[in-house]
Amino acid sequence: MGSRASSLLREEDIEEIKKETGFSHSQITRLYSRFHSLDKGENGALSREDFQRIPELAINPLGDRIINAFFPEGEDQVNFRGFMRTLAHFRPVEDNEKNKDPNSGEPLNSRNNKLLFAFRLYDLDRDDKISRDELLQVLRMMVGVNISDEQLGSIADRTIQEADTNGDMSISFSEFIKVLEKVDVEQKMSIRFLH
Amino acid sequence: RACADVFQWATLRMERGAREKNQQLYKPYSNGIIAKELVSLEQEIQEVRRSGIPAPEPEFDMSDIFSFCRRGVESIVDDEVTKRFTAEELESWNLLTRSNYNFHHISTRLTVLWGVGVLVRYAILLPLRVTLAFTGVGLLVVLTSLIGLLPNGWVKSSLSEKAHLMCYRICVRALTAIITYHDSENKPKNGGICVANHTSPIDVIILASDGCYAMVGQVHGGLMGVIQRAMLKACPHIWFERSEVKDRHLVAKRLSDHVADKTKLPILIFPEGTCINNTSVMMFKKGSFEIGCTVYPVAIKYDPRFGDAFWNSSKFGMVNYLLHMMSSWGVVCSVWYLPPMRREEGEDAVQFANRVKAAIARKGGLADLLWDGGLKREKVKKVFKEEQQKMYSKVLVGVSEDSHGSEVVRGPALE
């Protein structure tokens, strides 16, 4: 039945989140309600199990990696701020008229940050390089058992060959950006939030 | 009925009042938080790839992950399944605190009206209803036991029918349920199975007050057990022991035997297996559709403005739930009897089940989902993830039956 979800979120918090992420007031309250409904333990934070309870996410081959992206380094719980910060990456890129002040830095949903989000899905050890192994891991997650090791290996090799410009047999972030130059990242990595 | 109109007026007024006073209203996401892509995942990935030159060998595009990634995050924000297991959120307020998210002191008028509402509901309606409920149940037990003493025959069944109907109607009054039955010419007949979408235990009372059914269920102890045994004396119901439930063949056999006997009442079954929040119809378990007799589908839709009938069994127990129901304004619902359906040639149980499900969803205005209601408590099966992986592998390795006209299976190219 209905819960007083919105009353647990203070106006100051909403304002801060608004500044940080660019979501509107009503979007924040709605997302808070969603956060609250996922939080089965009712402790104000989400654990990995809470995410895995979503069937559509559980059957997504990259499900675990996506869930990981929400959790800061080495932690098992994500609070609402963290949740919103990660979701902010998927806001569509409008001309950020409101955020013209130079102190705010790059908005979370810029093309660069979206690409960084995707890059980090590959780069598990956060060494800013996608090694052959890391690429293979992601490929294996996506194809399951349907492609043999050798074939997958050669696909990975080809991908690295194409992208690698400095010959270190791994893909750095700048090489990653170069490969995806022509791809409409803004559209593919944006979710249309309703007002 | 006048009552319903009063409620309508009251809710609209409240809504207006609340909106005037308070700008930053919490708006429930009945319109959805996000707008999702209507293109399937497979098509989306194909589109991005086709924009480049088709490669002679399977090639991995780093951007492939984008689609998966975005859909994953979309499902975190709004997915089709988890929201079916909690009560539906409403646009307007119906004077029940529990369904309102904006309960500040908006205006004196509003608070007074709410106060009056509480008084009426708890002090007047509730005791009245509880008394009625006890009477109804008590009568049921007593009458059915008495009737059970009679020898089997025409007299017994007609008396039993009258007794059952009367008691259920008392229970309906106990909940102040305003039920509209549509298409009663399609009412289930003997030797068939009646199939309906499940929202709460009240579904049973609603259907049974308009016709006589044989119930199916597990044997319970305590008060429920007494009621079950009493009902059994008057006319045949199918109660299973806990252990028997696991044995699907046994269950199927008992159901078919009952159905084969034309003197026995139609069986009432809820194939979803669990309570869903009345915004959608989830996967029907195929067991009841394998038996091969006529199926009478029924769609039940509750009007959420007067009281939310959904039983969230993980949050509230049965007694709590009943108290909630009896202290709401009432239950308003519509029941549609759909024309009978039979399994067609070449159709297997699952397809038949889906066909019936689609008909019920269409009639009741509910979303038709393929997801299993069992996901309320259990994890999703790995099989679905494997399907996604298979689909992506096909895209990667380049099996294309559709676009390029010829079926080309490109094997690994040896370097």
Side-chain angles (χ1 to χ4, degrees):
Chain A
M1 302 271 198
S3 63
R4 316 277 183 133
S6 64
S7 58
L8 294 172
L9 193 62
R10 299 169 308 173
E11 279 301 316
E12 310 96 71
D13 292 332
I14 299 185
E15 283 305 310
E16 279 178 37
I17 297 178
K18 210 180 193 176
K19 271 205 214 83
E20 195 183 1
T21 61
F23 282 114
S24 74
H25 193 284
S26 62
Q27 285 169 342
I28 295 176
T29 40
R30 270 197 235 152
L31 287 168
Y32 185 75
S33 176
R34 173 67 175 173
F35 177 85
H36 191 87
S37 71
L38 290 174
D39 180 12
K40 289 286 184 283
E42 305 227 344
N43 57 348
L46 295 178
S47 67
R48 287 196 169 80
E49 288 81 47
D50 287 323
F51 283 101
Q52 275 153 3
R53 225 175 274 119
I54 304 173
E56 284 166 27
L57 186 62
I59 66 168
N60 188 317
L62 290 178
D64 288 330
R65 287 288 168 100
I66 298 172
I67 295 176
N68 238 15
F70 280 84
F71 292 85
E73 204 55 48
E75 293 191 17
D76 288 330
Q77 300 273 320
V78 54
N79 61 12
F80 185 57
R81 293 289 288 267
F83 183 69
M84 291 303 280
R85 217 173 284 132
T86 316
L87 283 183
H89 286 104
F90 288 85
R91 268 187 63 233
V93 182
E94 343 92 342
D95 26 351
N96 288 312
E97 289 290 336
K98 308 159 201 147
N99 296 7
K100 280 298 182 192
D101 79 278
N103 297 336
S104 65
E106 202 176 353
L108 285 168
N109 62 336
S110 67
R111 183 191 164 92
N112 216 37
N113 276 327
K114 286 182 198 281
L115 282 166
L116 190 58
F117 187 87
F119 186 78
R120 292 227 172 101
L121 287 180
Y122 288 101
D123 183 18
L124 258 192
D125 60 5
R126 300 285 168 102
D127 63 355
D128 289 328
K129 284 202 295 266
I130 304 177
S131 67
R132 184 178 185 269
D133 269 337
E134 287 172 335
L135 185 58
L136 264 177
Q137 270 180 35
V138 173
L139 277 171
R140 182 51 77 193
M141 284 177 90
M142 292 172 79
V143 306
V145 300
N146 297 296
I147 297 188
S148 69
D149 279 333
E150 305 92 57
Q151 197 176 4
L152 211 60
S154 51
I155 294 175
D157 287 328
R158 255 195 304 277
T159 314
I160 295 187
Q161 259 172 26
E162 301 231 342
D164 192 14
T165 49
N166 66 352
D168 63 351
M169 298 305 275
S170 64
I171 307 178
S172 70
F173 187 49
S174 37
E175 287 162 356
F176 187 71
I177 297 181
K178 189 102 197 349
V179 169
L180 294 168
E181 237 172 5
K182 301 214 182 60
V183 175
D184 186 1
V185 176
E186 288 86 338
Q187 199 246 348
K188 287 266 165 285
M189 290 282 275
S190 290
I191 299 179
R192 287 178 290 170
F193 289 94
L194 298 174
H195 287 286
Chain B
R1 275 192 29 185
C3 217
D5 293 328
V6 171
F7 290 153
Q8 287 244 26
W9 168 85
T11 47
L12 288 172
R13 249 200 107 262
M14 288 315 109
E15 189 182 12
R16 231 185 333 125
R19 251 199 275 254
E20 283 163 21
K21 292 292 174 168
N22 194 335
Q23 258 80 4
Q24 303 287 20
L25 261 190
Y26 168 76
K27 266 188 246 147
Y29 50 95
S30 44
N31 301 331
I33 309 184
I34 54 181
K36 292 196 184 162
E37 292 295 325
L38 294 167
V39 183
S40 80
L41 181 55
E42 188 169 355
Q43 270 178 287
E44 200 177 322
I45 303 183
Q46 298 271 27
E47 264 168 29
V48 181
R49 287 167 153 261
R50 245 175 258 159
S51 57
I53 315 146
E57 286 143 10
E59 193 169 289
F60 174 65
D61 203 325
M62 308 281 296
S63 64
D64 283 344
I65 65 158
F66 288 168
S67 304
F68 280 110
C69 182
R70 197 192 72 245
R71 276 161 199 258
V73 180
E74 273 177 354
S75 65
I76 292 180
V77 175
D78 185 17
D79 78 299
E80 281 304 317
V81 183
T82 57
K83 66 184 181 193
R84 309 290 174 192
F85 300 132
T86 53
E88 194 183 351
E89 295 186 26
L90 299 172
E91 281 283 352
S92 57
W93 186 37
N94 57 358
L95 291 179
L96 299 170
T97 338
R98 62 185 88 105
S99 57
N100 173 259
Y101 308 88
N102 269 314
F103 192 62
H104 325 292
H105 181 84
I106 299 177
S107 80
T108 327
R109 232 178 346 176
L110 212 61
T111 325
V112 165
L113 261 161
W114 174 76
V116 170
V118 169
L119 207 64
V120 168
R121 280 187 292 122
Y122 280 92
I124 304 180
L125 292 177
L126 184 59
L128 210 67
R129 287 176 181 166
V130 171
T131 337
L132 270 176
F134 276 119
T135 324
V137 172
L139 261 178
L140 184 66
V141 173
V142 166
L143 281 177
T144 46
S145 313
L146 284 177
I147 295 178
L149 298 170
L150 292 172
N152 282 349
W154 180 85
V155 176
K156 181 176 185 185
S157 25
S158 86
L159 270 182
S160 145
E161 201 178 305
K162 292 210 176 25
H164 271 122
L165 279 175
M166 186 179 78
C167 295
Y168 280 119
R169 288 198 180 134
I170 298 182
C171 288
V172 162
R173 287 285 163 270
L175 291 166
T176 320
I178 306 171
I179 312 171
T180 326
Y181 295 98
H182 303 264
D183 306 328
S184 291
E185 67 268 10
N186 290 325
K187 250 201 269 197
K189 305 192 178 51
N190 285 5
I193 296 188
C194 175
V195 155
N197 58 319
H198 200 26
T199 307
S200 99
I202 298 182
D203 292 343
V204 174
I205 302 182
I206 290 183
L207 287 179
S209 61
D210 192 45
C212 279
Y213 299 95
M215 313 278 171
V216 178
Q218 268 185 19
V219 170
H220 284 101
L223 180 61
M224 276 306 294
V226 171
I227 302 178
Q228 284 177 334
R229 279 193 295 276
M231 286 169 71
L232 204 52
K233 289 191 197 127
C235 69
H237 296 284
I238 308 179
W239 304 121
F240 288 104
E241 300 288 336
R242 234 207 169 91
S243 49
E244 291 174 338
V245 171
K246 304 275 186 203
D247 185 349
R248 292 195 31 205
H249 291 293
L250 179 65
V251 170
K253 180 143 195 336
R254 278 184 74 178
L255 289 176
S256 346
D257 287 343
H258 183 110
V259 158
D261 184 349
K262 294 291 179 203
T263 64
K264 296 201 178 147
L265 300 164
I267 306 181
L268 179 58
I269 292 190
F270 297 103
E272 280 165 312
T274 184
C275 294
I276 312 290
N277 77 348
N278 209 233
T279 55
S280 66
V281 183
M282 296 192 115
M283 189 180 96
F284 277 2
K285 303 210 185 308
K286 62 180 179 172
S288 14
F289 297 93
E290 285 171 328
I291 300 180
C293 58
T294 326
V295 169
Y296 298 89
V298 176
I300 308 178
K301 177 88 178 109
Y302 292 88
D303 188 340
R305 286 176 302 181
F306 295 97
D308 181 26
F310 168 58
W311 182 32
N312 192 341
S313 53
S314 42
K315 253 192 162 161
F316 307 105
M318 167 78 89
V319 177
N320 213 331
Y321 169 72
L322 285 173
L323 279 176
H324 266 161
M325 290 290 26
M326 292 199 212
S327 60
S328 307
W329 293 113
V331 175
V332 178
C333 67
S334 297
V335 176
W336 285 273
Y337 292 105
L338 286 106
M341 293 174 145
R342 294 190 129 264
R343 185 146 69 127
E344 279 162 21
E345 288 294 324
E347 204 180 25
D348 71 355
V350 176
Q351 290 166 329
F352 181 38
N354 283 335
R355 195 160 59 93
V356 174
K357 176 159 69 77
I360 293 184
R362 225 188 347 253
K363 200 66 182 207
L366 309 162
D368 184 7
L369 296 179
L370 290 173
W371 294 98
D372 185 355
L375 288 171
K376 195 186 204 176
R377 297 200 177 83
E378 294 152 11
K379 292 214 161 144
V380 69
K381 300 204 186 102
K382 287 218 168 60
V383 147
F384 296 109
K385 190 192 245 191
E386 285 157 17
E387 275 175 25
Q388 297 261 312
Q389 290 170 328
K390 221 195 252 180
M391 180 273 288
Y392 180 67
S393 315
K394 281 210 313 222
V395 171
L396 187 57
V397 172
V399 177
S400 47
E401 295 108 317
D402 47 281
S403 47
H404 301 298
S406 57
E407 181 145 36
V408 180
V409 179
R410 299 194 191 121
L414 296 170
E415 279 181 301

